[in-house]
Amino acid sequence: MEKITVIIGKADSGKTMKAKEIASSYKKENVTWISGRYWKHDRPFLYRSCNLNTELIIIDDCDDASHIESIYSSAVEGIKVDKPSKEPFYIHPKIIIGCSSEISIDDFIQSNAFKRRVTIIDCNMTPKETSKEVINELSKILDATPKKIKL
């Protein structure tokens, strides 16, 4: 399982724009956007907008940091896609979660297990404050060199 990328920041800090920048390196039809507002992980047909070619899922405006663990846990074996009147299937996309402005870095458990599972991009940071680890992780996501990434 690949790391989940979580984008945090204040309102109007560019979280959704960062997600769009990452998504632009994929074919549009292989990217699925899902609202994270009022997320209920057990909601039926949650990933119904995905297809077999989905390579990237962006969950935008997630309003509760505790949902990230449940999203990761469900994705370990693959995301189950249920569609009405169709046979379910599994996909293994990269996942980006854009958090609402109410969520901060302090809301996350900073254990080693968490750090192995999640990369946090903090849009409140200036480019000089951005760690090499985050730049390298973004490079992997974008299949680019660190020089191509704008922060």
Side-chain angles (χ1 to χ4, degrees), residues 10-109:
K10 296 176 185 166
D12 299 321
S13 62
K15 299 179 298 288
T16 300
M17 290 304 296
K18 182 58 65 185
K20 286 180 181 180
E21 179 183 339
I22 295 168
S24 71
S25 66
Y26 293 85
K27 290 182 180 178
K28 191 174 183 175
E29 61 270 15
N30 295 345
V31 177
T32 299
W33 288 78
I34 299 173
S35 173
R37 235 345 127 178
Y38 314 111
W39 182 269
K40 291 196 189 295
H41 190 71
D42 57 353
R43 192 173 72 209
F45 310 119
L46 181 62
Y47 297 103
R48 71 179 172 267
S49 56
C50 296
N51 60 54
L52 284 170
N53 297 322
T54 299
E55 296 179 89
L56 177 66
I57 295 175
I58 299 173
I59 301 170
D60 196 30
D61 211 18
C62 183
D63 60 358
D64 187 339
S66 68
H67 296 314
I68 293 164
E69 183 62 36
S70 65
I71 293 167
Y72 181 85
S73 296
S74 71
V76 170
E77 299 295 321
I79 299 286
K80 183 178 181 182
V81 179
D82 275 320
K83 295 183 180 231
S85 306
K86 293 192 177 183
E87 204 57 40
F89 58 90
Y90 287 85
I91 58 174
H92 300 274
K94 294 180 183 181
I95 298 173
I96 296 174
I97 302 172
C99 295
S100 66
S101 58
E102 296 86 36
I103 297 177
S104 74
I105 193 116
D106 299 329
D107 294 324
F108 297 104
I109 300 167

